[in-house]
């Protein structure tokens, strides 16, 4: 167990068993958060290769950065679900589980009898959760979906980047959104089962999860007749809000959210209090309409001082600001260090990584942060718990079922 990790039986989801036929990002992110809260998560992987996210890269002591991030505190069992024997083991696991999560290819779960309706007949207390690309019904139910495809389909890519070039978001936002909604949906279903005795299936699609996150630009476009422009690090509908280069060639981001802050910026930073009442800049909408002029004023002033001096002055005025960190600077951020947000987690092969504590703090409840499993590491132990003898386990392995 990782240092400072809580015993699983002391955590809110202790006693809850999750079986997950999962790969990539969305479903593993959902189940890892359940494991953080003490759930026993049994990750079902293909013999030989396992979750294909294991092979995305080899940068973390020979392991994939994606896999290490998404799979700590889980147990890995290898099952060939195309074999009768592998399917039988899965059925036995589901018979003892509270939650079943899957993000199989479109239609695969239904063909294997693992759809919500079929599962309800065999396991009436089991909460099934499906993570799909575009939903299990509708004209795109059979269409594959990956993160960047969904970023494109929802219009996110058209909003991200500079005026000259669109860009993908730098992290897998569609997968992360779907994983978060699957996680909260499962928690809601567990609560409903506990308080009302009713079992509700959970379904989340990557497309609809990211579509929800597109709410503000969707409303803006629908009611203005034009979508927000791509403006790089600027904000499409607020000004001034963006990065400007200081005299030491370092970028500083500042954000003005209201007229009081704009007046303070004009008086105490720009040295031009009259600008606060200038009709071109007096309201948020006016400043956006005259963005180039606003940006020229702010950029000119910031360019006169070093970035440290700029940020200190903005702090004194009460204007939100920040340096533009790279990832290494983020990893060294003083807030994370001062708030003790790092823990050691073991990865396959015996190495350790520093992992961030989950962002939701439950008073008196340190999260579980156990090891990242090797492929099939827990297969024998899990089968033994189901009553399989060593000889039978050996037969299953010889048959390629595990």
């Amino acid at each position: 167990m990782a240092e400072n990790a809580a015993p699983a039986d002391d955590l809110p989801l202790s006693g809850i068993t999750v079986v997950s036929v999962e790969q990539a990002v969305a479903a593993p992110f959902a189940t890892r958060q359940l494991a953080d809260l003490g759930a026993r998560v049994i990750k079902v992987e293909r013999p030989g290769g396992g979750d294909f996210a294991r092979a995305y890269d080899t940068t973390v002591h020979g392991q994939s950065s994606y896999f290490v991030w998404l799979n700590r505190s889980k147990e890995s069992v290898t099952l060939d679900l195309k074999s009768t024997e592998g399917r039988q083991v899965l059925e036995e696991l589901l018979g003892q589980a509270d939650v079943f999560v899957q993000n199989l290819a479109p239609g695969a779960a239904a063909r294997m009898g693992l759809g919500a309706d079929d599962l309800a007949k065999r396991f009436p207390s089991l909460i099934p959760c499906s993570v799909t690309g575009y939903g299990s019904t509708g004209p795109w139910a059979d269409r594959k979906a990956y993160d960047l495809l969904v970023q494109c389909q929802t219009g996110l890519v058209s909003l991200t980047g500079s005026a000259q070039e669109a860009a993908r978001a730098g992290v897998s936002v569609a997968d992360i959104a779907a994983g978060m909604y699957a996680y909260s949906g499962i928690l809601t279903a567990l609560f409903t089962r506990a308080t009302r005795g009713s079992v509700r299936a959970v379904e989340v699609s990557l497309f609809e999860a990211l579509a929800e996150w597109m709410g503000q630009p969707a409303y803006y476009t629908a009611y203005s007749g034009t979508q927000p422009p791509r403006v790089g690090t600027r904000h499409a509908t607020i000004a001034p809000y963006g990065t400007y280069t200081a005299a030491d060639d370092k970028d500083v981001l500042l954000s003005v959210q209201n007229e009081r802050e704009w007046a303070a910026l004009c008086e105490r930073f720009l040295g031009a209090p009259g600008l606060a009442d200038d009709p071109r800049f007096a309201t948020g909408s006016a400043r956006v309409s005259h963005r180039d002029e606003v940006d020229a004023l702010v950029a000119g002033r910031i360019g006169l001082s070093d970035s440290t001096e700029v940020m200190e002055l903005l702090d004194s005025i009460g204007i939100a600001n920040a340096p533009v960190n790279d990832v290494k600077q983020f990893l060294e951020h003083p807030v994370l260090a001062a708030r003790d947000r790092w823990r050691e987690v073991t990865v396959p092969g015996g190495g350790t990584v520093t992992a961030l504590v989950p962002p939701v703090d439950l008073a008196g409840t340190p999260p579980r942060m156990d090891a990242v499993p090797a492929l099939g590491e827990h297969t024998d132990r899990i089968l033994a718990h189901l009553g399989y003898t060593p000889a039978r386990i050996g037969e299953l392995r010889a048959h390629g079922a595990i």
Side-chain angles (χ1 to χ4, degrees):
M1 181 176 296
E3 184 182 357
N4 295 325
D9 55 4
D10 288 343
L11 292 170
L13 293 185
S14 63
I16 296 296
T17 297
V18 179
V19 174
S20 189
V21 181
E22 60 179 27
Q23 50 275 317
V25 176
F29 188 42
T31 58
R32 196 219 74 193
Q33 293 177 92
L34 298 171
D36 292 343
L37 291 176
R40 182 190 186 195
V41 176
I42 299 174
K43 181 182 181 77
V44 177
E45 301 190 72
R46 296 183 305 277
D51 180 345
F52 54 74
R54 286 184 180 272
Y56 278 171
D57 61 71
T58 57
T59 57
V60 185
H61 300 305
Q63 308 297 315
S64 160
S65 55
Y66 277 91
F67 194 86
V68 168
W69 167 43
L70 297 166
N71 290 285
R72 66 172 180 254
S73 304
K74 300 180 184 179
E75 300 172 49
S76 172
V77 57
T78 51
L79 297 177
D80 179 4
L81 297 184
K82 295 181 180 179
S83 72
T84 301
E85 293 167 312
R87 285 290 310 283
Q88 177 58 38
V89 174
L90 179 62
E91 289 289 302
E92 294 178 47
L93 289 173
L94 293 178
Q96 300 181 9
D98 299 281
V99 178
F100 173 60
V101 180
Q102 62 85 15
N103 64 339
L104 293 165
R111 290 192 297 272
M112 298 170 65
L114 298 175
D117 292 341
D118 290 330
L119 290 172
K121 296 173 185 176
R122 303 197 305 277
F123 310 107
S125 66
L126 181 69
I127 296 169
C129 174
S130 299
V131 180
T132 68
Y134 297 97
S136 60
T137 62
W140 283 25
D142 296 329
R143 192 176 183 122
K144 287 185 177 180
Y146 300 113
D147 182 84
L148 184 53
L149 298 177
V150 175
Q151 288 192 39
C152 290
Q153 291 289 347
T154 57
L156 177 61
V157 168
S158 76
L159 300 173
T160 307
S162 67
Q164 292 73 38
E165 184 178 14
R168 68 177 288 272
V171 295
S172 303
V173 288
D175 286 320
I176 293 168
M180 287 301 302
Y181 286 120
Y183 167 59
S184 61
I186 290 166
L187 292 179
T188 302
L190 286 168
F191 179 79
T192 301
R193 191 184 69 173
T195 57
R196 302 182 183 179
S198 56
V199 175
R200 297 286 183 264
V202 178
E203 181 178 330
V204 176
S205 79
L206 273 68
F207 178 73
E208 289 162 356
L210 194 56
E212 168 65 23
W213 287 16
M214 286 289 292
Q216 181 274 324
Y219 278 120
Y220 186 98
T221 301
Y223 290 92
S224 73
T226 182
Q227 75 172 44
R230 289 196 307 272
V231 288
T233 60
R234 303 295 195 264
H235 193 290
T237 58
I238 302 174
Y241 192 151
T243 57
Y244 305 87
T245 303
D248 55 2
D249 289 328
K250 295 181 179 179
D251 286 343
V252 175
L253 181 138
L254 69 81
S255 170
V256 169
Q257 295 283 314
N258 52 55
E259 311 321 323
R260 176 185 55 78
E261 291 181 356
W262 171 243
L265 187 79
C266 291
E267 179 178 357
R268 300 177 58 190
F269 186 75
L270 298 178
L275 290 176
D277 298 321
D278 188 312
R280 297 171 297 168
F281 313 130
T283 67
S285 296
R287 290 193 295 277
V288 170
S289 296
H290 295 86
R291 179 191 303 279
D292 289 346
E293 296 166 80
V294 172
D295 284 344
L297 290 166
V298 176
R301 171 61 186 87
I302 288 180
L304 298 176
S305 304
D306 287 350
S307 57
T308 300
E309 297 170 355
V310 168
M311 290 186 286
E312 288 176 351
L313 179 53
L314 291 173
D315 282 342
S316 71
I317 299 170
I319 302 298
N321 67 91
V324 180
N325 287 340
D326 59 23
V327 178
K328 184 177 184 296
Q329 290 168 320
F330 151 69
L331 292 172
E332 298 169 348
H333 203 288
V335 170
L336 296 176
R339 284 177 47 77
D340 190 27
R341 303 307 291 183
W342 297 103
R343 299 291 183 274
E344 293 293 316
V345 172
T346 303
V347 300
T352 61
V353 298
T354 52
L356 278 171
V357 173
V360 176
D361 291 333
L362 296 177
T365 310
R368 178 188 181 196
M369 298 184 69
D370 290 348
V372 177
L375 177 61
E377 177 180 346
H378 305 91
T379 300
D380 287 15
R381 188 177 76 190
I382 289 170
L383 292 179
H385 182 74
L386 292 174
Y388 286 72
T389 65
R392 179 57 177 154
I393 293 171
E395 291 175 359
L396 293 175
R397 185 163 281 115
H399 296 164
I402 61 174

